[in-house]
Amino acid sequence: MKWSQFVSLAVAYLVTLVFLAVISIYYAFPHLMFAMVVPILFAGLLYPRRMYLMMTCMLIPASLVVVQKTLPDAQDAWKTMAALFVMVLATAEILHKSLVDRKRAEAALRASEERYRSLVENLPIGIYRNTPGPHGALIMANSALARIHGFDSVAELLDTPVGELYADAAERARFSHKLVLEGNVQTEELRLKKKDGALIWGAVTARVVRGPAGDIEYFDGMVEDITDRKQAEQTIAEQQAKMVNASRLSSLGAMASGIAHEINNPLAVISTAAEHLAGMIRREEFDQALFAKLVDTISRNGERIERIIRGLRNLARDGANEPFSPKSLRSLVEDTVELCKVRFRNHGVELVVSDIAPDIAVECCATQLSQVLINLLNNAESAVEGLDEKWVHVAVEDEGESIELSVTDSGPGVPPELREKVLEPFFTTKEVGKGTGLGLSISKAIVDRHRGELFIDEGSPHSRFVVRLPKRRLHVAPDGGVHV
């Protein structure tokens, strides 16, 4: 009942009582007033919503009293009995209606509670309520939560301290601290335990419930078992690592013959220079200019072989667990490009590398970043294979807090309808047997891990792939802050 309705009914009720009191005093008929008002007031307390009917029932016997006094010849007995009869009937109807409505309300409440209980019990996710603190206890839980934690019954689960349901006490403490600070937490992935100690993963969503004084009364939450999903993610990660390794070996295979030739050439130069030096020693001739020239030739070719070997080592080793550390971008690009020179030259492709400042360094995993550049160079070489004009250009631009490494080829560019697909796994435009479709997707995954981005320059008239990387890798601290 609304407040305005209650006030209007109360006023009408009081007016009716005053009217009856006046009639009772004026006609000296107090016994009828008492017999009429008391039961109806009792009924009104039990069922106030029937107030209009009660007022009507009181006005009927009051009218009979007036008739009795104004018509002295009329018989009093039947009038009094009629008034009392009407009053009793009205009171009985009110009481009956009150009891029926109350029973209906109680039945509806029981049905609603049963529906809610059934809903909570049949949900596939765990529902719980527990007290806060390091020694918190479960107040309520459903069957799904008991099943998730491997308990035979909810009662057995309720007897278990909350701390024993977490795999790591420190992780639980961090979660509780975050929950208290923020008031609610959404799908926090936590390591939990089963009854037998087996590790499971749960996505926990919870909120803080506070009392009138503002103190924490309990935590309400739900737990979704995501163990299967986490295991699937681990399997996917392992498969991705295998694909990265396969792509790396594929790149090595594509360059194997060229690399052997690239090493043989400087070795031949070194061998020839060494023979000249040996001849000078045998003849006991010493030409200082020639001697310096031969030594410089040996040194330069030795450095060339060193760059090739270093590039091979970077590409061949598994960089999945390699830590991030500052690397000279100039050195990384030169070592990687050295592996491709012979292949490009054999296919008639001009490979141009712009001058890179020696002080540009980027925090990265050198092995993985070398693989990205190798993949981009291999794709560029394949793209220009059938063109009359064949060239590939590698450039690095310093943008302050980040760098841009770009590989551009003489091709007409990636068609608009293919730009969204070229970075997807297993997508390739090459002939069957000439490509796996993994190079660009793996490169994108590596760049994402470096918190950068790999994209196609849509404004370039040629095919231009750009890798944008921060010079320093941002680290997210446990408190939510960002540090470098």
Side-chain angles (χ1 to χ4, degrees):
M1 180 184 294
K2 295 182 179 179
W3 178 250
S4 59
Q5 293 176 331
F6 175 78
V7 171
S8 62
L9 288 175
V11 171
Y13 194 29
L14 290 175
V15 170
T16 304
L17 289 178
V18 171
F19 176 68
L20 292 174
V22 171
I23 293 176
S24 177
I25 295 171
Y26 181 78
Y27 290 106
F29 207 61
H31 62 281
L32 180 60
M33 179 69 180
F34 179 79
M36 176 176 58
V37 171
V38 171
I40 295 179
L41 286 176
F42 178 70
L45 291 174
L46 290 178
Y47 201 74
R49 292 179 182 240
R50 309 293 286 184
M51 196 172 291
Y52 281 123
L53 180 58
M54 289 186 292
M55 288 187 290
T56 303
C57 294
M58 287 188 288
L59 290 173
I60 291 175
S63 301
L64 293 176
V65 172
V66 174
V67 172
Q68 179 184 358
K69 291 300 182 180
T70 54
L71 300 175
D73 296 335
Q75 307 226 348
D76 294 339
W78 72 270
K79 297 176 183 177
T80 302
M81 292 299 294
L84 291 174
F85 181 71
V86 172
M87 180 191 66
V88 170
L89 286 179
T91 304
E93 192 276 337
I94 292 172
L95 291 174
H96 173 72
K97 185 66 176 174
S98 174
L99 292 174
V100 171
D101 289 350
R102 182 171 297 178
K103 288 182 178 179
R104 289 177 179 172
E106 291 174 352
L109 179 60
R110 285 194 299 270
S112 176
E113 290 177 348
E114 183 60 31
R115 285 195 299 269
Y116 171 76
R117 187 180 298 107
S118 175
L119 173 64
V120 172
E121 286 298 316
N122 293 328
L123 282 174
I125 58 178
I127 304 293
Y128 71 89
R129 172 175 289 175
N130 71 275
T131 56
H135 304 292
L138 287 169
I139 303 173
M140 185 274 289
N142 66 346
S143 300
L145 188 64
R147 188 167 54 252
I148 289 172
H149 286 282
F151 287 89
D152 297 327
S153 66
V154 174
E156 186 182 8
L157 173 63
L158 294 178
D159 290 337
T160 304
V162 174
E164 295 184 10
L165 303 178
Y166 288 79
D168 186 353
E171 188 176 61
R172 181 204 171 204
R174 286 194 298 270
F175 172 70
S176 298
H177 181 66
K178 179 179 179 181
L179 180 58
V180 171
L181 286 180
E182 299 182 6
N184 65 84
V185 175
Q186 301 289 328
T187 59
E188 187 84 3
E189 295 186 357
L190 300 173
R191 292 175 298 165
L192 307 175
K193 283 195 307 184
K194 281 193 170 187
K195 176 184 175 182
D196 59 4
L199 175 67
I200 58 175
W201 282 89
V204 182
T205 298
R207 71 183 185 95
V208 176
V209 178
R210 298 183 181 273
D215 55 325
I216 299 176
E217 292 189 348
Y218 47 80
F219 298 148
D220 280 345
M222 58 184 183
V223 180
E224 181 184 2
D225 188 355
I226 59 171
T227 306
D228 291 342
R229 194 194 80 192
K230 297 295 287 187
Q231 290 175 348
E233 289 176 354
Q234 182 179 358
T235 301
I236 291 173
E238 292 173 354
Q239 294 300 321
Q240 286 178 338
K242 290 180 180 179
M243 288 193 298
V244 170
N245 186 54
S247 177
R248 183 173 62 253
L249 295 178
S250 175
S251 300
L252 283 173
M255 296 180 295
S257 60
I259 292 172
H261 182 71
E262 192 71 5
I263 293 177
N264 284 333
N265 282 344
L267 282 177
V269 174
I270 291 174
S271 178
T272 302
E275 290 177 1
H276 277 289
L277 290 175
M280 292 174 63
I281 293 173
R282 283 194 304 269
R283 293 189 299 272
E284 296 183 356
E285 296 176 356
F286 182 74
D287 185 338
Q288 184 175 0
L290 180 58
F291 186 86
K293 182 179 178 181
L294 291 173
V295 170
D296 180 64
T297 299
I298 292 173
S299 177
R300 283 187 293 102
N301 282 275
E303 291 175 358
R304 184 180 176 187
I305 293 174
E306 182 185 1
R307 285 198 303 271
I308 295 172
I309 298 301
R310 188 166 57 239
L312 274 175
R313 186 173 61 248
N314 285 340
L315 189 61
R317 72 167 176 250
D318 185 2
N321 299 318
E322 181 181 350
F324 283 75
S325 60
K327 302 290 183 182
S328 168
L329 202 59
R330 177 176 180 176
S331 175
L332 189 146
V333 171
E334 287 179 348
D335 292 345
T336 305
V337 168
E338 198 69 44
L339 300 175
C340 305
K341 281 185 175 180
V342 173
R343 182 184 176 194
F344 274 66
R345 186 164 58 245
N346 292 340
H347 289 84
V349 180
E350 181 184 7
L351 180 57
V352 180
V353 180
S354 297
D355 187 43
I356 303 173
D359 60 339
I360 299 179
V362 60
E363 188 178 356
C364 67
C365 171
T367 300
Q368 295 184 2
L369 202 55
S370 294
Q371 185 179 350
V372 171
L373 182 54
I374 284 288
N375 289 340
L376 293 178
L377 289 172
N378 285 342
N379 281 352
E381 189 273 332
S382 299
V384 300
E385 188 175 359
L387 301 179
D388 294 334
E389 184 182 3
K390 303 176 184 179
W391 54 263
V392 174
H393 182 206
V394 180
V396 173
E397 295 182 13
D398 189 346
E399 297 189 336
E401 294 298 323
S402 62
I403 61 95
E404 276 194 0
L405 170 64
S406 63
V407 176
T408 310
D409 62 60
S410 57
V414 181
E417 64 273 12
L418 298 182
R419 288 172 186 165
E420 296 295 330
K421 298 180 180 180
V422 292
L423 298 178
E424 295 178 358
F426 305 109
F427 179 83
T428 180
T429 57
K430 299 176 183 178
E431 298 178 8
V432 177
K434 289 190 176 182
T436 62
L438 294 174
L440 287 177
S441 64
I442 290 174
S443 298
K444 185 178 184 304
I446 292 174
V447 174
D448 289 343
R449 182 170 179 251
H450 284 69
R451 298 182 182 172
E453 55 180 331
L454 170 61
F455 60 92
I456 301 172
D457 184 2
E458 299 180 2
S460 173
H462 302 285
S463 297
R464 183 171 183 262
F465 285 82
V466 181
V467 175
R468 180 179 291 141
L469 295 174
K471 287 184 178 179
R472 290 183 295 175
R473 194 165 177 260
L474 299 179
H475 303 279
V476 180
D479 60 0
V482 177
H483 306 284
V484 294

